[in-house]
Amino acid sequence: MDDAETKGRIEETVRRVLQESDMDEVTESKIRKQASEQLGLDLSQPHFKAFVKQVVKAFLQEEEQRQQQQQQDEDDDDEEEEQGGVSKGKEYDDEGDLIICRLSDKRRVTIQDFRGKTLVSIREYYKKDGKELPTSKGISLTEEQWSTFKKNVPAIEKAIKKMESS
Amino acid sequence: MSGKAKRRDDDGASDADSEGHAPPKKSLKKDSDDDPDSITVCEISKNRRVAVRNWKGSIMVDIREFYVKDGKQLPGRKGISLTMDQWNVLRNHVEEIDKAINENS
């Protein structure tokens, strides 16, 4: 009975010391010394030493499982965010239009929703009062016009090469 | 970035973008007789066309609206001329633009 009672006190003390310790710095030897001081026992004796080692090992395993469970919970949260929220990486200008790409410092391509119609706007912007505002230098294409334009991209490339060689 | 001085035709204040109602025509590639430094690639609507031009030694892709005056078709102020660098960026994002249009519609 003394052994069982002593082991109970050792386990309780070791666990408390572990919880209060910085897991990145602590060693089993330090744990044993601290527990020895608190219990008034010499835990470096072989059978005590083995028992302390056992308690530490069990504690670490439980800690690892706790962290894995926590990680899994966080992953679940991430999944929820991805499903419900808007995907990150999309950029919008100061007027709320989606920016597809920037052709230069001042020029960009945006997607506009104008009176219920989708427009592809290729336009120059200027800065004023910390905002980037559209100028009249540019053109907004309807879906139909954009579709025709897209089909003619190869023809445009061809014309460029012809112009370059002339 | 090379500066682009352009002739500005003042045809009054432009309100919302006008929309061509005629079906878009796909014209054959042809040289303009009056301008050997310009190739009209296509018309994307009744009054809008895409051309490749040589402007002061630089090749530009010009997307512009035209208007009729005295029986002639003249380039209006509504439009934009892209340098080769800018054209390359636009061309590389064509599929992304299509995707965004489909998502928005």
Side-chain angles (χ1 to χ4, degrees):
Chain A
M1 293 303 295
D2 284 348
D3 249 12
E5 184 183 353
T6 303
K7 282 189 175 180
R9 287 197 294 131
I10 292 173
E11 180 170 358
E12 183 184 343
T13 305
V14 168
R15 282 180 169 272
R16 188 171 60 249
V17 171
L18 282 166
Q19 286 170 1
E20 295 170 357
S21 302
D22 183 346
M23 301 303 296
D24 291 333
E25 295 180 0
V26 78
T27 63
E28 186 180 315
S29 174
K30 288 182 181 177
I31 296 290
R32 193 169 60 246
K33 286 179 182 176
Q34 290 187 45
S36 295
E37 291 170 2
Q38 294 186 25
L39 289 165
L41 293 172
D42 181 5
L43 297 179
S44 61
Q45 295 177 35
H47 63 288
F48 282 149
K49 194 170 182 179
F51 182 66
V52 168
K53 189 183 191 71
Q54 183 182 327
V55 172
V56 169
K57 188 174 181 181
F59 180 89
L60 292 179
Q61 284 177 356
E62 292 166 14
E63 186 66 20
E64 186 176 338
Q65 286 176 6
R66 260 195 300 271
Q67 289 178 1
Q68 286 181 356
Q69 185 64 37
Q70 186 179 353
Q71 186 65 40
Q72 188 173 347
D73 293 342
E74 288 176 357
D75 289 344
D76 292 343
D77 292 342
D78 289 347
E79 288 178 9
E80 291 176 6
E81 288 178 10
E82 287 173 7
Q83 290 171 5
V86 176
S87 64
K88 300 170 184 175
K90 286 193 176 180
E91 185 183 5
Y92 292 85
D93 68 5
D94 292 328
E95 296 193 337
D97 294 325
L98 172 65
I99 299 177
I100 297 291
C101 61
R102 295 174 184 266
L103 306 179
S104 71
D105 287 345
K106 288 186 177 180
R107 294 182 165 185
R108 62 179 72 157
V109 180
T110 61
I111 300 295
Q112 293 177 310
D113 194 340
F114 183 75
R115 297 180 183 177
K117 289 183 178 178
T118 303
L119 300 177
V120 178
S121 185
I122 308 169
R123 195 164 296 280
E124 197 157 295
Y125 283 69
Y126 72 107
K127 290 184 179 180
K128 184 180 181 183
D129 300 334
K131 286 189 176 182
E132 288 184 306
L133 302 170
T135 69
S136 63
K137 190 169 195 176
I139 195 164
S140 290
L141 308 178
T142 63
E143 286 185 61
E144 199 177 28
Q145 292 166 8
W146 166 255
S147 178
T148 305
F149 178 89
K150 187 185 71 167
K151 290 171 185 171
N152 283 278
V153 166
I156 296 171
E157 288 287 299
K158 223 172 167 185
I160 290 171
K161 287 185 170 54
K162 181 174 181 179
M163 186 70 70
E164 282 172 347
S165 62
S166 67
Chain B
M1 181 161 46
S2 62
K4 300 184 288 66
K6 287 190 65 64
R7 182 184 65 205
R8 289 186 162 274
D9 297 291
D10 188 8
D11 59 342
S14 62
D15 47 6
D17 297 306
S18 61
E19 183 186 9
H21 295 287
K25 289 172 285 186
K26 184 171 183 177
S27 62
L28 294 175
K29 187 179 63 178
K30 63 182 189 295
D31 291 321
S32 302
D33 294 332
D34 52 341
D35 190 350
D37 283 335
S38 178
I39 299 174
T40 298
V41 177
C42 64
E43 295 182 2
I44 56 179
S45 72
K46 181 181 179 184
N47 59 350
R48 292 183 168 184
R49 64 173 73 158
V50 180
V52 172
R53 301 190 306 128
N54 188 324
W55 178 256
K56 297 184 174 179
S58 296
I59 297 179
M60 314 285 289
V61 174
D62 192 33
I63 309 166
R64 191 158 301 277
E65 190 166 290
F66 279 71
Y67 68 101
V68 177
K69 185 179 181 182
D70 299 337
K72 290 183 178 179
Q73 277 219 329
L74 301 171
R77 64 179 300 197
K78 188 175 290 185
I80 196 163
S81 283
L82 306 176
T83 64
M84 284 298 97
D85 285 347
Q86 293 164 13
W87 161 249
N88 286 331
V89 175
L90 175 60
R91 182 196 58 196
N92 292 337
H93 285 81
V94 164
E95 295 303 324
E96 192 173 335
I97 293 171
D98 265 359
K99 187 180 175 186
I101 291 174
N102 292 332
E103 287 176 1
N104 201 53
S105 300

